[in-house]
Amino acid sequence: MNARPADRLAIAVAQLNAVVGDVSGNLERARAARAAAAKDHADIIAFSELFIAGYPPEDLVLKPAFQAACRSAVEALARETADGGPAVLIGTPWLEEGKLYNAYVLLADGGIEAIRFKVNLPNYGVFDEKRVFTPGPLPGPVNFRGVRLGLPVCEDTWTDWGDYENVVECLAETGAELLIVPNGSPYWRDKVEVRLNVSVARVTESGLPLIYINEVGGQDELVFDGASFALNADRSIAFQLPAFREAVVTTQWSRAGAGWRCAPGPIAPPDDFDQADYTACVLGLRDYVEKNRFKGVVLGLSGGADSALCAAMATDALGGERVRCVMLPYRYTSQESLDDAAAVARILGVRYDIVPIESAVRGLDAALAGVFAGTPADVTEENLQSRARGTILMAISNKFGLMVVTTGNKSEMSVGYATLYGDMNGGFNPIKDLYKTEVYRLARLRNRWKPEGARGPEGQVIPENVLTRAPSAELRENQTDQDSLPPYDVLDAILERLVEREESVAAITAAGFDRDTVLKVERLLYLAEYKRRQAAPGVKVTLKNFGRDRRYPIVNRFLDPGTITTEPGRFPVKGAVQGTAMAKAGAADF
């Protein structure tokens, strides 16, 4: 290291798509990014959180062989820094004295110069890092060419000044000059603004400039949107990288008086919420297919909005040559549905097959005739249609190595308007976290806008008739969804309050919704939990998705009566702490 402090630093920011468990592949990605940074004469390149392992590694990180592979990769990369090229800041699991840490390491001059451990381990929502990692001690800055770099890791920047174990406060008090923050921050609506507000708060409190580095790409249900940025000490944005795209950008920093300032860099305009949701769904589907090495996808194309939007997303993700759509008609399938499905397939340029299910359903009816003798036909026979379709799609999947795309929306999954082992069959669902009203909105969006990098055609890809006709499962004559469900605008508004906001029945009713309807929706929501546990994973785009976020028990007899049964102060409780707890609890339903 140079003894004289540097007055200028060229810092490369690597916003890349790591693959969980692909240690050798992630190492090669780091090498390629470092080589690109060297061409830009970067002094140091910074990667995202746990880059070598991929994020989140979940319980894979507990496997000793995986820990050893990550350590070996980091040590190999450290040795390569003896070549005079850029130093490296990179995230990795790190085993030290029998304890496993989420670490960020400085590699320079052929060795490991410094290691810092994540202090604040998130244990909420989609995160459960306390399950696998040990919290590190409060860190001081690391020295690079005489510059004191603060390296808070992701959640370490989310505590307010003066809070217990405030990492940024500790770094500022111990002489840090510049904060470099590696992140594994998944996307959901409004997340870019939330991150920016948190970072502005830390810059304001510490008086230090900050570089925020986020990964990009899909991992199971999560999508990481990148959108890395830097803030100067005066809270001005120095650069903003594009969302949902990889980038390696070298930024120029110089001392300005007592502090550091970044020369103006690229500032990518943000997508609006609907554009970001659509892009997240496409990226999540693409990475799930690519990283699991499927040849392509197959899906049932019914002529409705859900399957049409899924077909458009699949085509945008993979290209039409890797998408196969199948119409599976039965006696209740209308000519309008046949025409609309064919039109969608034609516009998208995907392979389209028609496989009638009449003989399959007749065979199932015949096989069950003795068992069902003397019983009236009901929803059981309707579900046989869906299960025949699901079986056929899975057979095509097996035969041709294609993953089945499931096409149920969040409204249906909330209230159980789906058939286990039927239309719920599949490997991944790009619209799992979109309510029905949002499906329509994103379909209309795609008809007037094509995302950058999308592989589907320009212009209208979903015929207007698909978006204006009444939605129907077409399992009996003249059936519509609204025979069984409230109108979707009402249903979705109630569900958003029940699921995302966890509001009580009383609060939702007070907002103007019919109490009986709210109670019915809540009951259906609870009853469908066992179905959701068996559903395919899908992209998270809302604050609270089914799966990683919302984990309700299947066996659950609680139903909100819609009235507050206990009021603050009505029950005598001894002790100030207990009394405070009861006062808080009294404002909610029991």
Side-chain angles (χ1 to χ4, degrees):
M1 294 283 183
N2 296 334
R4 181 178 176 275
D7 291 322
R8 294 180 180 276
L9 282 178
I11 302 175
V13 174
Q15 176 177 291
L16 298 177
N17 191 343
V19 180
V20 168
D22 186 14
V23 177
S24 60
N26 293 337
L27 175 59
E28 290 306 313
R29 293 177 185 94
R31 284 171 170 156
R34 182 172 179 264
K39 291 181 180 179
D40 285 342
H41 307 290
D43 299 302
I44 189 169
I45 181 169
F47 294 87
S48 54
E49 180 180 11
L50 288 177
F51 183 83
I52 284 293
Y55 188 85
E58 301 185 79
D59 286 7
L60 174 63
V61 80
L62 299 175
K63 192 175 183 66
F66 182 68
Q67 297 165 7
C70 291
R71 178 82 166 243
S72 177
V74 169
E75 291 173 348
L77 190 58
R79 289 190 292 270
E80 293 169 17
T81 60
D83 63 2
V88 174
L89 286 166
I90 198 163
T92 184
W94 193 267
L95 190 66
E96 188 79 30
E97 297 181 350
K99 295 180 179 179
L100 186 64
Y101 297 95
N102 181 335
Y104 204 50
V105 298
L106 171 62
L107 314 178
D109 298 333
I112 299 174
E113 292 288 332
I115 306 174
R116 292 295 181 266
F117 300 140
K118 188 173 183 177
V119 177
N120 296 295
L121 302 177
N123 210 52
Y124 57 87
V126 302
F127 306 107
D128 53 5
E129 288 191 30
K130 289 183 180 179
R131 174 183 174 88
V132 293
F133 291 116
T134 299
L138 283 171
V142 304
N143 189 303
F144 176 69
R145 299 188 180 178
V147 182
R148 296 183 299 277
L149 302 177
L151 306 177
V153 180
C154 198
E155 191 76 11
D156 287 340
T157 63
W158 287 67
T159 50
D160 292 328
W161 203 260
D163 284 357
Y164 178 67
E165 294 191 330
N166 187 299
V167 174
V168 173
E169 184 176 6
C170 179
L171 289 167
E173 291 176 351
T174 52
E177 300 172 68
L178 169 63
L179 302 175
I180 299 179
V181 188
N183 292 268
S185 180
Y187 170 80
W188 59 78
R189 287 176 203 147
D190 206 26
K191 190 69 175 292
V192 172
E193 184 175 350
V194 172
R195 292 186 198 120
L196 185 60
N197 288 339
V198 168
S199 298
V200 166
R202 300 297 84 81
V203 169
T204 301
E205 294 161 351
S206 67
L208 299 175
L210 177 151
I211 303 175
Y212 185 104
I213 305 162
N214 193 26
E215 68 174 289
V216 67
Q219 171 58 33
D220 294 348
E221 294 166 289
L222 302 181
V223 172
F224 298 87
D225 56 318
S228 305
F229 61 88
L231 296 171
N232 288 308
D234 61 5
R235 301 182 298 280
S236 62
I237 296 179
F239 67 83
Q240 173 84 63
L241 300 188
F244 304 108
R245 297 199 298 279
E246 292 186 294
V248 178
V249 175
T250 299
T251 62
Q252 304 297 327
W253 292 78
S254 59
R255 285 188 193 273
W260 285 85
R261 188 171 184 86
C262 183
I267 297 181
D271 294 331
D272 70 24
F273 290 159
D274 285 344
Q275 290 174 343
D277 280 359
Y278 188 93
T279 306
C281 291
V282 169
L283 178 57
L285 176 60
R286 176 186 298 151
D287 272 6
Y288 194 86
V289 171
E290 299 286 13
K291 292 179 180 181
N292 285 302
R293 297 174 177 169
F294 287 104
K295 295 177 182 178
V297 298
V298 60
L299 66 144
L301 197 57
S302 69
D306 296 333
S307 63
L309 182 61
C310 286
M313 288 177 170
T315 305
D316 283 342
L318 305 171
E321 70 279 2
R322 297 177 65 191
V323 178
R324 186 168 188 166
C325 291
V326 186
M327 162 54 85
L328 300 147
Y330 188 55
R331 65 185 66 164
Y332 304 121
T333 303
S334 67
Q335 186 61 48
E336 191 175 21
S337 293
L338 290 164
D339 294 342
D340 286 343
V344 170
R346 183 180 63 256
I347 294 168
L348 292 175
V350 301
R351 174 161 180 172
Y352 180 63
D353 299 291
I354 300 177
V355 181
I357 67 168
E358 182 80 32
S359 59
V361 175
R362 279 204 314 267
L364 290 170
D365 284 337
L368 291 165
V371 178
F372 287 179
T375 64
D378 55 20
V379 71
T380 306
E381 284 74 16
E382 293 182 16
N383 285 339
L384 287 180
Q385 300 168 47
S386 182
R387 291 187 172 121
R389 292 183 172 112
T391 298
I392 290 169
L393 288 173
M394 289 305 300
I396 294 171
S397 169
N398 292 160
K399 181 64 70 175
F400 299 105
L402 306 174
M403 186 196 76
V404 177
V405 171
T406 315
T407 63
N409 60 67
K410 192 172 186 177
S411 307
E412 295 171 347
M413 296 307 301
S414 295
V415 296
Y417 199 70
T419 304
L420 270 176
Y421 324 120
D423 58 332
M424 288 179 64
N425 278 4
F428 196 78
N429 184 349
I431 65 168
K432 182 180 180 180
D433 205 24
L434 294 174
Y435 290 112
K436 184 74 168 186
T437 50
E438 294 168 339
V439 167
Y440 283 116
R441 197 167 71 233
L442 292 195
R444 293 189 182 280
L445 168 71
R446 180 58 181 87
N447 277 345
R448 64 178 185 271
W449 165 83
K450 178 183 172 182
E452 183 174 343
R455 299 168 186 174
E458 300 275 357
Q460 185 179 52
V461 296
I462 300 175
E464 184 65 20
N465 192 60
V466 173
L467 304 177
T468 55
R469 57 188 294 221
S472 170
E474 293 191 325
L475 298 175
R476 61 178 181 269
E477 291 287 355
N478 302 316
Q479 181 188 28
T480 67
D481 291 2
Q482 257 60 84
D483 296 339
S484 308
L485 301 174
Y488 277 116
D489 57 343
V490 175
L491 175 64
D492 291 354
I494 293 171
L495 286 171
E496 193 271 337
R497 289 170 179 269
L498 286 171
V499 176
E500 273 80 25
R501 303 189 208 176
E502 295 283 5
E503 287 188 5
S504 67
V505 170
I508 300 172
T509 302
F513 293 91
D514 175 71
R515 181 174 179 274
D516 288 342
T517 301
V518 176
L519 288 170
K520 175 185 176 182
V521 171
E522 186 203 34
R523 179 175 177 274
L524 292 173
L525 177 66
Y526 284 3
L527 287 174
E529 186 63 38
Y530 83 102
K531 289 187 177 183
R532 289 190 291 271
R533 290 289 184 94
Q534 301 178 66
V539 177
K540 169 185 166 68
V541 297
T542 67
L543 182 63
K544 187 173 289 187
N545 75 328
F546 292 126
R548 295 185 67 97
D549 275 319
R550 189 182 187 276
R551 309 178 197 181
Y552 266 56
I554 297 173
V555 178
N556 173 22
R557 291 192 179 183
F558 177 79
L559 282 176
D560 184 343
T563 58
I564 297 177
T565 57
T566 303
E567 297 176 6
R570 292 284 294 273
F571 189 86
V573 180
K574 297 178 180 179
V577 173
Q578 295 182 44
T580 301
M582 179 56 71
K584 290 180 179 178
D589 290 346
F590 291 94

